Amino acid sequence: MNTSTKIMTRDTGAATAAVARPWALWAAVAVATVTAALHTFVQAGPTVDALMAGDAAAEARQGLRMMWHGMSAIAWTYPVVLVLLRHRPAAVTRPALGCVALLNGAQAVMYVATGPAGDGISGLLSLPEWALHAPVAVLAWLARPARPPGRPAPKARRSRGRLVLLGLAIAFSGFMAVFHTVSGTFDSWPADLLDSDTALDPKLTLYAMWLFSCVLFWTLPLTVLWSLRAGTEAGRFLLFYAAVLVTALAVSWTVSKALGVAPDLPPFGPVSLGLNAALTALSAHPRPWPGNPVAEEQPDPA
């Protein structure tokens, strides 16, 4: 016989090194942790105080403050995910590290693009966050393993119900991304922020944060589309991670309303964000039944 049966399980690709450069992974964890700590405990006070002292509309101030705390939670997901990836199969680690690298790279680009708009080249020094996210992006990219050899693990078939959820996830997350980027940027909180008398450096920091949130919202439909051709485990991991990112904003919004510190924020925000996250997570491939690996016929190398 010139063929042999190879059993393909959820650990396919585990034989390949999980990371190409372990030192780069741990360096990325260290820098991402420092970045999250600075965002949460050092920058939050001065930035939020300057925002609330400005004359922007109450909803804009409360909304941007809520987003700042949500972004702090998102910043903490980077070191957590990087640590979780150290023992994952290469087929999962490679795209997940790429996602972390692209998100941090996008944040660095937003700060670089926003800084000079305020005060020329010196604006880069007044918005040093770009110098924190850029190393995380580079290190995470360097830690990616080589593409696993051979054919990818077979993907589990989606039921008709999950295909409907997938279509809804693409449609709803795409609508949310367009609405957030266009209407949100030009007719909502960031527009009020730019017209306010908020101090320049906090204003630019908050505006760069908003621009990155647009990237974040586009991550959901793009990840769902990418999962159509990705391996089952890799697609599931990134879809759940994308859902967690949006859930962080939903939780921040909910807590702000519950504590009474954001009475002017509309109540439908957490609902739309939660629905976006739920549809994204539910569109993932179903997890295979335990003890029921997928068999696939592959040519015998001999």
Side-chain angles (χ1 to χ4, degrees), residues 113-156:
T114 305
D119 195 17
I121 297 300
S122 62
L124 293 177
L125 301 178
S126 64
L127 295 181
E129 291 88 346
W130 68 269
L132 297 172
H133 291 288
V136 177
V138 173
L139 290 167
W141 192 266
L142 289 175
R144 294 185 313 148
R147 194 180 303 277
R151 299 174 61 183
K155 294 176 287 188

Side-chain angles (χ1 to χ4, degrees), residues 49-73:
D49 289 346
L51 170 67
M52 302 310 292
D55 63 354
E59 181 182 329
R61 286 183 282 122
Q62 295 169 16
L64 290 170
R65 177 177 60 186
M66 172 275 298
M67 285 194 65
W68 180 273
H69 296 307
M71 288 296 177
S72 294

Side-chain angles (χ1 to χ4, degrees), residues 144-225:
R144 294 185 313 148
R147 194 180 303 277
R151 299 174 61 183
K155 294 176 287 188
R157 292 183 178 180
R158 289 183 170 94
S159 65
R160 289 184 179 180
R162 285 188 177 271
L163 288 175
V164 172
L165 286 173
L166 186 144
L168 289 174
I170 294 174
F172 188 72
S173 60
F175 168 77
M176 288 282 290
V178 172
F179 180 82
H180 186 85
T181 304
V182 179
S183 178
T185 301
F186 297 105
D187 297 322
S188 188
W189 304 339
D192 290 338
L193 173 70
L194 294 180
D195 291 337
S196 71
D197 63 354
T198 306
L200 182 61
D201 288 354
K203 179 187 294 187
L204 295 178
T205 298
L206 291 163
Y207 192 71
M209 175 196 72
W210 177 271
L211 294 179
F212 171 69
S213 73
C214 296
V215 175
L216 194 65
F217 273 85
W218 279 106
T219 299
L220 271 72
L222 293 176
T223 302
V224 174
L225 289 172

